[in-house]
Amino acid sequence: GIDRKKEQAMFRETERRAESTAKDLKKLYQKQRREFKEMVLDTKQREADVMKDLQDLERNMLKSEKTDFANKLVEEREKGEARR
């Protein structure tokens, strides 16, 4: 008789621990999932920033190439006028 009660008490205790562990694991999983999502968003934002910087750099390089080309044309024209 007494062993049966002891057995039931042990079973309930084990069940309680398992539930507690399951709760902790679920909380941990949710926390890690949230952190992962934040990291993904952060990475996407950094990627977007880098792409924008590259586009700006490219635009500025094109502008300066056009400016250099225009300056060379002006230079050539002035040389031509000076020869006359």
Side-chain angles (χ1 to χ4, degrees), residues 27-54:
K27 277 184 194 165
L28 183 64
Y29 167 74
Q30 288 170 338
K31 181 176 182 259
Q32 287 177 336
R33 192 165 166 211
R34 191 168 48 246
E35 286 172 359
F36 175 73
K37 281 183 178 177
E38 286 169 8
M39 282 167 43
V40 168
L41 285 175
D42 185 48
T43 302
K44 284 183 179 174
Q45 185 57 56
R46 282 194 215 167
E47 193 179 349
D49 292 345
V50 168
M51 291 305 289
K52 189 187 178 308
D53 289 347
L54 282 174

Short mmCIF file of all heavy atoms in Angstrom, two decimals, residues 27-54:
data_model
loop_
_atom_site.label_atom_id
_atom_site.label_comp_id
_atom_site.label_asym_id
_atom_site.label_seq_id
_atom_site.Cartn_x
_atom_site.Cartn_y
_atom_site.Cartn_z
N LYS A 27 10.50 28.42 -23.86
CA LYS A 27 10.93 29.82 -23.69
C LYS A 27 12.27 30.06 -24.37
O LYS A 27 12.46 31.07 -25.06
CB LYS A 27 11.06 30.16 -22.19
CG LYS A 27 9.77 30.53 -21.52
CD LYS A 27 10.04 30.93 -20.08
CE LYS A 27 8.75 30.99 -19.27
NZ LYS A 27 9.03 31.04 -17.83
N LEU A 28 13.19 29.14 -24.17
CA LEU A 28 14.52 29.26 -24.77
C LEU A 28 14.42 29.26 -26.29
O LEU A 28 15.04 30.08 -26.97
CB LEU A 28 15.41 28.10 -24.30
CG LEU A 28 16.86 28.12 -24.79
CD1 LEU A 28 17.60 29.35 -24.24
CD2 LEU A 28 17.57 26.85 -24.38
N TYR A 29 13.60 28.35 -26.82
CA TYR A 29 13.40 28.27 -28.28
C TYR A 29 12.84 29.58 -28.81
O TYR A 29 13.32 30.11 -29.82
CB TYR A 29 12.46 27.11 -28.60
CG TYR A 29 11.95 27.12 -30.02
CD1 TYR A 29 12.78 26.76 -31.07
CD2 TYR A 29 10.65 27.53 -30.31
CE1 TYR A 29 12.32 26.78 -32.38
CE2 TYR A 29 10.19 27.55 -31.62
CZ TYR A 29 11.03 27.18 -32.65
OH TYR A 29 10.58 27.22 -33.94
N GLN A 30 11.83 30.13 -28.13
CA GLN A 30 11.22 31.39 -28.58
C GLN A 30 12.23 32.53 -28.54
O GLN A 30 12.27 33.37 -29.44
CB GLN A 30 9.99 31.73 -27.73
CG GLN A 30 8.81 30.82 -28.04
CD GLN A 30 7.66 30.96 -27.05
OE1 GLN A 30 7.85 31.40 -25.92
NE2 GLN A 30 6.46 30.56 -27.46
N LYS A 31 13.05 32.55 -27.49
CA LYS A 31 14.07 33.60 -27.36
C LYS A 31 15.09 33.49 -28.49
O LYS A 31 15.42 34.48 -29.15
CB LYS A 31 14.78 33.46 -26.01
CG LYS A 31 15.84 34.48 -25.74
CD LYS A 31 16.42 34.32 -24.34
CE LYS A 31 17.45 35.37 -24.04
NZ LYS A 31 18.82 34.86 -24.16
N GLN A 32 15.56 32.28 -28.77
CA GLN A 32 16.54 32.08 -29.83
C GLN A 32 15.95 32.41 -31.20
O GLN A 32 16.62 32.99 -32.05
CB GLN A 32 17.05 30.64 -29.82
CG GLN A 32 17.98 30.38 -28.66
CD GLN A 32 18.44 28.93 -28.58
OE1 GLN A 32 17.78 28.03 -29.09
NE2 GLN A 32 19.56 28.70 -27.93
N ARG A 33 14.69 32.06 -31.40
CA ARG A 33 14.03 32.35 -32.66
C ARG A 33 13.91 33.86 -32.88
O ARG A 33 14.15 34.36 -33.97
CB ARG A 33 12.64 31.69 -32.64
CG ARG A 33 12.01 31.68 -33.99
CD ARG A 33 10.85 30.74 -34.04
NE ARG A 33 10.12 31.05 -35.28
CZ ARG A 33 8.84 30.91 -35.43
NH1 ARG A 33 8.11 30.44 -34.45
NH2 ARG A 33 8.26 31.23 -36.57
N ARG A 34 13.54 34.57 -31.80
CA ARG A 34 13.43 36.03 -31.85
C ARG A 34 14.80 36.65 -32.17
O ARG A 34 14.90 37.53 -33.04
CB ARG A 34 12.90 36.54 -30.51
CG ARG A 34 12.49 37.99 -30.49
CD ARG A 34 11.70 38.36 -29.24
NE ARG A 34 12.31 37.89 -27.99
CZ ARG A 34 11.77 36.97 -27.18
NH1 ARG A 34 10.61 36.41 -27.47
NH2 ARG A 34 12.38 36.59 -26.08
N GLU A 35 15.84 36.18 -31.51
CA GLU A 35 17.20 36.70 -31.74
C GLU A 35 17.64 36.42 -33.18
O GLU A 35 18.25 37.27 -33.82
CB GLU A 35 18.19 36.08 -30.76
CG GLU A 35 18.06 36.63 -29.35
CD GLU A 35 18.91 35.88 -28.33
OE1 GLU A 35 19.60 34.91 -28.70
OE2 GLU A 35 18.88 36.28 -27.15
N PHE A 36 17.31 35.23 -33.68
CA PHE A 36 17.66 34.87 -35.06
C PHE A 36 16.97 35.81 -36.04
O PHE A 36 17.61 36.32 -36.97
CB PHE A 36 17.27 33.42 -35.33
CG PHE A 36 17.49 33.00 -36.76
CD1 PHE A 36 18.78 32.79 -37.23
CD2 PHE A 36 16.43 32.85 -37.63
CE1 PHE A 36 19.00 32.42 -38.55
CE2 PHE A 36 16.64 32.48 -38.95
CZ PHE A 36 17.93 32.27 -39.42
N LYS A 37 15.68 36.06 -35.83
CA LYS A 37 14.94 36.96 -36.72
C LYS A 37 15.56 38.36 -36.70
O LYS A 37 15.67 39.01 -37.74
CB LYS A 37 13.46 37.05 -36.30
CG LYS A 37 12.64 35.87 -36.75
CD LYS A 37 11.18 36.05 -36.37
CE LYS A 37 10.34 34.89 -36.89
NZ LYS A 37 8.93 35.02 -36.47
N GLU A 38 15.94 38.83 -35.51
CA GLU A 38 16.59 40.14 -35.39
C GLU A 38 17.90 40.17 -36.16
O GLU A 38 18.21 41.14 -36.84
CB GLU A 38 16.83 40.50 -33.92
CG GLU A 38 15.56 40.90 -33.18
CD GLU A 38 15.74 41.00 -31.67
OE1 GLU A 38 16.90 40.91 -31.18
OE2 GLU A 38 14.73 41.16 -30.97
N MET A 39 18.67 39.09 -36.07
CA MET A 39 19.94 39.01 -36.79
C MET A 39 19.72 39.04 -38.29
O MET A 39 20.45 39.70 -39.02
CB MET A 39 20.72 37.74 -36.38
CG MET A 39 21.41 37.86 -35.04
SD MET A 39 22.03 36.29 -34.36
CE MET A 39 22.77 35.48 -35.75
N VAL A 40 18.69 38.32 -38.75
CA VAL A 40 18.38 38.30 -40.18
C VAL A 40 18.00 39.71 -40.65
O VAL A 40 18.50 40.18 -41.68
CB VAL A 40 17.24 37.29 -40.50
CG1 VAL A 40 16.73 37.47 -41.91
CG2 VAL A 40 17.75 35.86 -40.30
N LEU A 41 17.15 40.38 -39.88
CA LEU A 41 16.74 41.74 -40.25
C LEU A 41 17.95 42.68 -40.26
O LEU A 41 18.10 43.50 -41.17
CB LEU A 41 15.69 42.28 -39.27
CG LEU A 41 14.29 41.70 -39.42
CD1 LEU A 41 13.37 42.22 -38.31
CD2 LEU A 41 13.70 42.05 -40.78
N ASP A 42 18.81 42.53 -39.27
CA ASP A 42 20.01 43.36 -39.17
C ASP A 42 20.91 43.14 -40.39
O ASP A 42 21.41 44.09 -40.99
CB ASP A 42 20.76 43.03 -37.88
CG ASP A 42 21.96 43.94 -37.65
OD1 ASP A 42 21.80 45.17 -37.78
OD2 ASP A 42 23.05 43.41 -37.37
N THR A 43 21.07 41.87 -40.76
CA THR A 43 21.91 41.53 -41.92
C THR A 43 21.32 42.12 -43.20
O THR A 43 22.04 42.68 -44.03
CB THR A 43 22.04 40.00 -42.06
OG1 THR A 43 22.61 39.49 -40.84
CG2 THR A 43 22.94 39.62 -43.20
N LYS A 44 20.00 41.99 -43.37
CA LYS A 44 19.34 42.55 -44.55
C LYS A 44 19.51 44.06 -44.61
O LYS A 44 19.74 44.63 -45.68
CB LYS A 44 17.84 42.19 -44.55
CG LYS A 44 17.59 40.75 -44.95
CD LYS A 44 16.10 40.45 -45.02
CE LYS A 44 15.87 39.01 -45.45
NZ LYS A 44 14.45 38.65 -45.38
N GLN A 45 19.42 44.72 -43.45
CA GLN A 45 19.58 46.18 -43.39
C GLN A 45 21.01 46.57 -43.78
O GLN A 45 21.22 47.49 -44.56
CB GLN A 45 19.24 46.71 -42.00
CG GLN A 45 19.27 48.22 -41.88
CD GLN A 45 18.34 48.90 -42.87
OE1 GLN A 45 17.15 48.64 -42.92
NE2 GLN A 45 18.88 49.79 -43.69
N ARG A 46 21.98 45.83 -43.25
CA ARG A 46 23.39 46.11 -43.59
C ARG A 46 23.62 45.92 -45.08
O ARG A 46 24.32 46.70 -45.72
CB ARG A 46 24.33 45.18 -42.82
CG ARG A 46 24.52 45.61 -41.40
CD ARG A 46 25.70 44.89 -40.79
NE ARG A 46 25.45 44.62 -39.39
CZ ARG A 46 26.17 43.80 -38.66
NH1 ARG A 46 27.17 43.16 -39.21
NH2 ARG A 46 25.89 43.62 -37.40
N GLU A 47 23.05 44.86 -45.63
CA GLU A 47 23.18 44.56 -47.05
C GLU A 47 22.60 45.71 -47.87
O GLU A 47 23.21 46.17 -48.84
CB GLU A 47 22.44 43.26 -47.37
CG GLU A 47 22.76 42.68 -48.72
CD GLU A 47 22.03 41.37 -48.99
OE1 GLU A 47 21.44 40.80 -48.05
OE2 GLU A 47 22.05 40.94 -50.14
N ALA A 48 21.43 46.20 -47.47
CA ALA A 48 20.78 47.32 -48.17
C ALA A 48 21.66 48.57 -48.10
O ALA A 48 21.82 49.30 -49.09
CB ALA A 48 19.41 47.59 -47.57
N ASP A 49 22.25 48.81 -46.92
CA ASP A 49 23.13 49.97 -46.75
C ASP A 49 24.35 49.88 -47.66
O ASP A 49 24.75 50.85 -48.30
CB ASP A 49 23.59 50.10 -45.29
CG ASP A 49 22.45 50.48 -44.33
OD1 ASP A 49 21.38 50.91 -44.83
OD2 ASP A 49 22.63 50.32 -43.11
N VAL A 50 24.94 48.69 -47.71
CA VAL A 50 26.13 48.48 -48.55
C VAL A 50 25.77 48.69 -50.03
O VAL A 50 26.51 49.35 -50.77
CB VAL A 50 26.73 47.07 -48.33
CG1 VAL A 50 27.75 46.74 -49.40
CG2 VAL A 50 27.34 46.97 -46.94
N MET A 51 24.63 48.14 -50.45
CA MET A 51 24.19 48.31 -51.84
C MET A 51 23.99 49.79 -52.17
O MET A 51 24.38 50.26 -53.23
CB MET A 51 22.89 47.53 -52.10
CG MET A 51 23.07 46.02 -52.07
SD MET A 51 24.35 45.40 -53.20
CE MET A 51 23.56 45.68 -54.77
N LYS A 52 23.39 50.52 -51.23
CA LYS A 52 23.16 51.95 -51.46
C LYS A 52 24.50 52.68 -51.56
O LYS A 52 24.69 53.52 -52.45
CB LYS A 52 22.32 52.55 -50.33
CG LYS A 52 21.88 53.97 -50.62
CD LYS A 52 21.19 54.60 -49.42
CE LYS A 52 20.81 56.03 -49.71
NZ LYS A 52 21.92 56.86 -50.20
N ASP A 53 25.43 52.35 -50.67
CA ASP A 53 26.76 52.97 -50.72
C ASP A 53 27.44 52.70 -52.05
O ASP A 53 28.06 53.58 -52.64
CB ASP A 53 27.65 52.46 -49.58
CG ASP A 53 27.20 52.99 -48.21
OD1 ASP A 53 26.38 53.93 -48.18
OD2 ASP A 53 27.67 52.45 -47.20
N LEU A 54 27.32 51.46 -52.53
CA LEU A 54 27.93 51.09 -53.81
C LEU A 54 27.30 51.88 -54.96
O LEU A 54 28.00 52.36 -55.85
CB LEU A 54 27.78 49.59 -54.08
CG LEU A 54 28.75 48.68 -53.34
CD1 LEU A 54 28.39 47.22 -53.57
CD2 LEU A 54 30.19 48.94 -53.79
#
